[in-house]
Amino acid sequence: MSEHKASVLLVGGGSVGAIAALNIESSGQAAVTIVCRSNFQAVLDDGYSIESCDHGSLRGWRPSSVVNKVPLVADGLHFDYIVCVTKNVADVPPPVSDLIRPAVSPGKTVIVLIQNGLNIEKPLLAAFPQNVVLSGVSLIGANEPEPGFVQQDFPDTLFVGAFRNQSRDVADEKAAAEDFVKIYSAGGKTQCSYNADVGWTRWRKLVYNACLNPICAITGLDTGRIRLADGAVEGLVRPAMAEIVAAAKACGHELPETVDMDMIEMDPLTMYLPPSMLSDVRKGNFIEYENILGEPLREGEKLSVAMPTVRVLYHLCQAIQWKNKELKGLVSVPPKGSFVAPVVEG
Ligand SMILES: NC(=O)C1=CN([C@@H]2O[C@H](COP(=O)(O)OP(=O)(O)OC[C@H]3O[C@@H](n4cnc5c(N)ncnc54)[C@H](OP(=O)(O)O)[C@@H]3O)[C@@H](O)[C@H]2O)C=CC1
Ligand SMILES: CC(C)(CO)C(=O)C(=O)O
């Protein structure tokens, strides 16, 4: 008799999602249905091509099932886990909660958010108050330069813990997180560990994401070049990082004194890693600036932390997003007026 496999719906088969699906399937303990969008046909026809520092070169790799729509759970269909690995773009519909709603079994499905940013759990806990919602903080340098072609340059390190849901037992939440860690780690190609202090871990990662992501996205420079560029680290990156560290402290999360340099030097300079927000700008995608910059800024300023650099980065990202919204028809501008002075006869 075959062993029971956990059923996993992975929503967002882009770069991090493809590697996550690979880790989960490699366990032999779970079957993944992956939801793809722009790369659906490429992945369906040819599978993923993966060049990975953890997994090596793979051609034509597919998880158990590839679909282009979140399935409706009915007639006995049920997912043990829904792993959300879309970009979490809070100011562009649909919200993640609406996207996954058809597949959520209330009180049963464990929802895992492998996404950057702060307060991303709030809409999920509001929409699914009976479900366990897990945090996945990922350190992985992954990109998808062409549909279905995924490059991973930085080893996948995933920290998983529960976002506190007042209507659930703490022990159940911890057990769900530990079960997911077991599945994700079982293939032996990645580092995935249980993380009790989800808030601390998210703020620590924001020291990178709220600073390097927007600065690289705005300047068009990857994390290697930003370190080489005149004045960028001392004039922009470190002041922004100091503000995030101060906001984290005000929110009760004391980060190590070396956290700024730890984050700046995390990926080797010559990896020339484009943070995910820079990749999005290059592809003309929307950026996750509300969860990555807006939320830490609002939390910090609410507690009277001065965050002038982060505020400027936030508004520059807001303008970049607006430009993209106009290009994609989400906002419209009044027609151009006529400013030519009328010809006066005689
Ligand atoms: N890349 C990295 O190295 C890291 C990324 N992260 C975080 O991980 C998360 C995922 O990032 P990443 O993998 O880089 O992102 P990608 O853009 O590579 O992948 C996201 C995928 O989700 C799909 N998607 C988005 N919205 C929907 C939707 N409504 N329905 C179906 N599919 C959808 C996208 O499709 P489409 O192509 O059509 O847009 C795309 O395939 C983000 O929160 C990011 O910040 C964290 C650590 C590192
Ligand atoms: C830190 C990094 C670069 C990858 O781990 C990331 O989180 C991102 O690209 O958004």
Side-chain angles (χ1 to χ4, degrees):
M1 209 176 72
S2 69
E3 205 184 318
H4 167 76
K5 285 193 175 187
S7 54
V8 176
L9 182 72
L10 192 146
V11 185
S15 46
V16 180
I19 302 295
L22 181 54
N23 282 316
I24 295 169
E25 285 272 353
S26 305
S27 70
Q29 299 172 16
V32 176
T33 298
I34 199 161
V35 183
C36 291
R37 196 168 58 175
S38 63
N39 62 2
F40 169 69
Q41 206 56 49
V43 175
L44 188 73
D45 292 347
D46 303 320
Y48 284 100
S49 286
I50 296 176
E51 292 294 335
S52 155
C53 55
D54 288 340
H55 298 269
S57 295
L58 283 94
R59 293 286 170 271
W61 181 80
R62 286 183 193 82
S64 297
S65 175
V66 180
V67 299
N68 63 357
K69 191 167 175 277
V70 171
L72 177 68
V73 284
D75 304 328
L77 182 63
H78 159 77
F79 291 104
D80 297 310
Y81 299 91
I82 297 180
V83 182
C84 304
V85 208
T86 57
K87 288 278 161 46
N88 196 323
V89 186
D91 56 324
V92 175
V96 176
S97 50
D98 284 358
L99 179 64
I100 66 170
R101 191 182 305 280
V104 177
S105 304
K108 289 188 187 151
T109 309
V110 173
I111 299 165
V112 189
L113 303 179
I114 305 183
Q115 292 172 321
N116 279 329
L118 199 66
N119 294 336
I120 56 173
E121 75 283 13
K122 292 193 171 168
L124 276 302
L125 290 170
F128 310 111
Q130 302 163 46
N131 292 64
V132 171
V133 181
L134 301 182
S135 162
V137 172
S138 165
L139 296 172
I140 182 176
N143 273 292
E144 189 186 18
E146 290 163 33
F149 174 46
V150 173
Q151 282 175 322
Q152 182 201 349
D153 288 334
F154 195 86
D156 185 13
T157 309
L158 183 66
F159 300 97
V160 176
F163 289 114
R164 187 72 197 100
N165 180 345
Q166 296 301 336
S167 68
R168 295 291 303 234
D169 200 87
V170 177
D172 288 349
E173 292 181 322
K174 182 166 187 259
E178 287 175 337
D179 284 346
F180 186 76
V181 168
K182 265 189 221 140
I183 295 175
Y184 200 93
S185 314
K189 296 269 174 70
T190 188
Q191 288 186 31
C192 177
S193 51
Y194 172 68
N195 168 228
D197 196 347
V198 159
W200 186 90
T201 306
R202 284 203 167 262
W203 272 103
R204 178 176 178 275
K205 178 113 196 276
L206 283 170
V207 176
Y208 189 118
N209 292 132
C211 308
L212 282 166
N213 286 33
I215 292 168
C216 292
I218 293 161
T219 59
L221 298 176
D222 56 55
T223 55
R225 287 178 173 82
I226 208 76
R227 283 162 70 182
L228 295 170
D230 297 330
V233 167
E234 289 310 317
L236 278 171
V237 178
R238 292 190 73 185
M241 287 184 168
E243 293 170 17
I244 294 293
V245 171
K249 186 170 179 183
C251 293
H253 304 289
E254 186 91 42
L255 299 173
E257 265 177 29
T258 56
V259 69
D260 56 349
M261 289 320 288
D262 295 347
M263 290 296 160
I264 292 168
E265 290 170 0
M266 185 172 77
D267 26 87
L269 186 148
T270 54
M271 195 177 270
Y272 300 117
L273 183 88
S276 52
M277 198 181 276
L278 172 57
S279 299
D280 281 331
V281 168
R282 285 177 174 165
K283 288 180 179 175
N285 290 344
F286 289 120
I287 54 175
E288 296 172 291
Y289 78 102
E290 281 296 1
N291 293 327
I292 285 181
L293 274 163
E295 286 300 304
L297 177 65
R298 286 185 277 272
E299 294 290 338
E301 288 190 340
K302 208 161 58 188
L303 298 169
S304 306
V305 178
M307 302 179 77
T309 316
V310 173
R311 177 158 281 285
V312 169
L313 294 175
Y314 172 74
H315 288 300
L316 286 169
C317 286
Q318 203 172 30
I320 290 173
Q321 191 87 317
W322 189 89
K323 181 171 82 173
N324 212 0
K325 284 181 181 171
E326 187 191 358
L327 284 170
K328 293 181 196 273
L330 265 64
V331 292
S332 54
V333 298
K336 186 166 164 37
S338 171
F339 300 98
V340 180
V343 178
V344 183
E345 293 295 330

